[in-house]
């Protein structure tokens, strides 16, 4: 006696296919949830790191502006200094702007440029505490920045007078940059920022020594 054949689906692989499709959908959905969670868990950029990059971009921009005024308008020694500043600080500006872009941070922010120093917490080094107090006293303004009147004076000067004005403005500019770099070096989190700040301290410190000696020579002549 033959048993009747059990009824089967006319598409025996359909259920398996549906199962595979559903499993793949679940896997893809899980992958996107994982990506979103890793993005959500991405640590925020330290405000000292981003603040230093923004402020030093502004600071470098004016140093380059002043140095450009000395091209073909000064002794070979001072032209060499100006050209060195243009090259080094243009490269550093590119590096810092690249950081801000990679961090999804704005290159410019409204408000006082040194607010990142004013608002920093857990500042332990005495020099940094004094620098923070000075920034607060200045209302978050950036020290060492030449005024529009000083830039106009530099632009219109000639000869030795132009060289002296340039060196005096650049001396004040460098002296203001060094405590900013030390603050980022000691209080920031990014090893990249710390390394660049350390390089600025070293290179601009050497330039300060040269500028001081050159100013003495020019003022005696």
């Amino acid at each position: 006696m033959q048993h009747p054949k059990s009824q089967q689906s006319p598409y025996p692989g359909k259920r398996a296919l549906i199962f595979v499709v559903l499993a793949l959908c679940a896997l893809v959905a899980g992958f996107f949830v994982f990506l979103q969670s890793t993005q959500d868990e991405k640590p925020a950029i330290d405000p000292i790191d981003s603040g230093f990059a923004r402020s030093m971009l502004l600071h470098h921009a004016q140093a380059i502006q002043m140095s450009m005024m000395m091209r073909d308008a000064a002794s070979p020694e001072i032209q060499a200094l100006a050209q060195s500043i243009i090259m080094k600080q243009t490269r550093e500006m590119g590096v810092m702007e690249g950081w801000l872009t990679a961090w999804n941070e704005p290159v410019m922010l409204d408000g006082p440029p040194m607010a990142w120093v004013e608002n920093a917490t857990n500042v332990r080094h005495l020099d940094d505490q004094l620098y923070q107090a000075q920034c607060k006293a200045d209302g978050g303004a950036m020290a060492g920045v030449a005024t529009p009147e000083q830039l106009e004076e530099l632009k219109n000067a000639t000869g030795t007078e132009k060289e002296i004005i340039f060196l005096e403005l650049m001396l004040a500019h460098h002296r203001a940059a060094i405590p900013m770099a030390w603050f980022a070096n000691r209080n920031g989190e990014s090893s990249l920022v710390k390394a660049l700040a350390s390089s600025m301290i070293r290179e601009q410190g050497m330039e300060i020594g040269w500028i001081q000696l050159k100013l003495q020579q020019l003022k005696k002549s």
Side-chain angles (χ1 to χ4, degrees):
M1 179 178 176
Q2 292 184 342
H3 295 282
K5 293 182 179 181
S6 58
Q7 292 184 347
Q8 295 181 349
S9 168
Y11 305 104
K14 186 175 181 180
R15 290 183 179 178
L17 180 61
I18 292 174
F19 177 79
V20 171
V21 170
L22 290 175
L24 286 173
C25 289
L27 182 62
V28 171
F31 177 70
F32 280 108
V33 169
F34 170 76
L35 284 181
Q36 185 62 44
S37 66
T38 55
Q39 290 175 355
D40 292 342
E41 292 171 5
K42 183 180 179 181
I45 299 302
D46 186 89
I48 292 175
D49 294 334
S50 58
F52 171 76
R54 289 190 196 95
S55 291
M56 201 55 81
L57 277 172
L58 291 173
H59 213 253
H60 276 19
Q62 190 181 76
I64 292 169
Q65 179 186 9
M66 292 191 292
S67 297
M68 291 289 289
M69 295 183 191
M70 304 309 294
R71 300 178 73 177
D72 304 322
S75 67
E77 284 182 310
I78 294 178
Q79 285 192 50
L81 172 66
Q83 186 63 29
S84 175
I85 290 170
I86 291 168
M87 292 179 64
K88 285 188 294 188
Q89 298 202 10
T90 298
R91 176 184 58 80
E92 290 170 352
M93 286 182 72
V95 169
M96 292 183 291
E97 188 169 350
W99 289 344
L100 291 169
T101 300
W103 295 337
N104 292 320
E105 288 280 331
V107 174
M108 300 288 291
L109 283 179
D110 294 332
M114 302 305 293
W116 59 277
V117 174
E118 290 186 86
N119 299 330
T121 58
N122 300 319
V123 177
R124 294 182 175 84
H125 197 282
L126 178 59
D127 288 345
D128 295 336
Q129 292 173 354
L130 293 173
Y131 181 62
Q132 187 176 44
Q134 185 61 54
C135 287
K136 290 179 179 179
D138 292 340
M142 187 179 292
V145 174
T147 65
E149 292 77 18
Q150 289 173 319
L151 292 175
E152 190 67 18
E153 183 183 15
L154 175 62
K155 179 182 177 182
N156 295 328
T158 58
T160 301
E161 180 189 10
K162 188 181 187 76
E163 293 179 346
I164 290 174
I165 293 171
F166 170 71
L167 292 177
E168 287 179 338
L169 291 176
M170 195 58 70
L171 181 61
H173 212 262
H174 278 14
R175 283 175 170 168
I178 287 180
M180 190 195 310
W182 270 120
F183 193 92
N185 180 270
R186 287 190 286 244
N187 299 281
E189 290 187 358
S190 170
S191 59
L192 295 173
V193 169
K194 290 175 180 287
L196 182 60
S198 180
S199 174
M200 289 178 184
I201 292 164
R202 181 178 61 256
E203 292 179 358
Q204 295 196 27
M206 293 173 62
E207 288 175 354
I208 284 173
W210 188 90
I211 289 170
Q212 289 173 322
L213 290 174
K214 193 62 182 177
L215 275 171
Q216 289 177 1
Q217 293 174 5
L218 290 174
K219 290 180 178 180
K220 286 179 181 179
S221 61

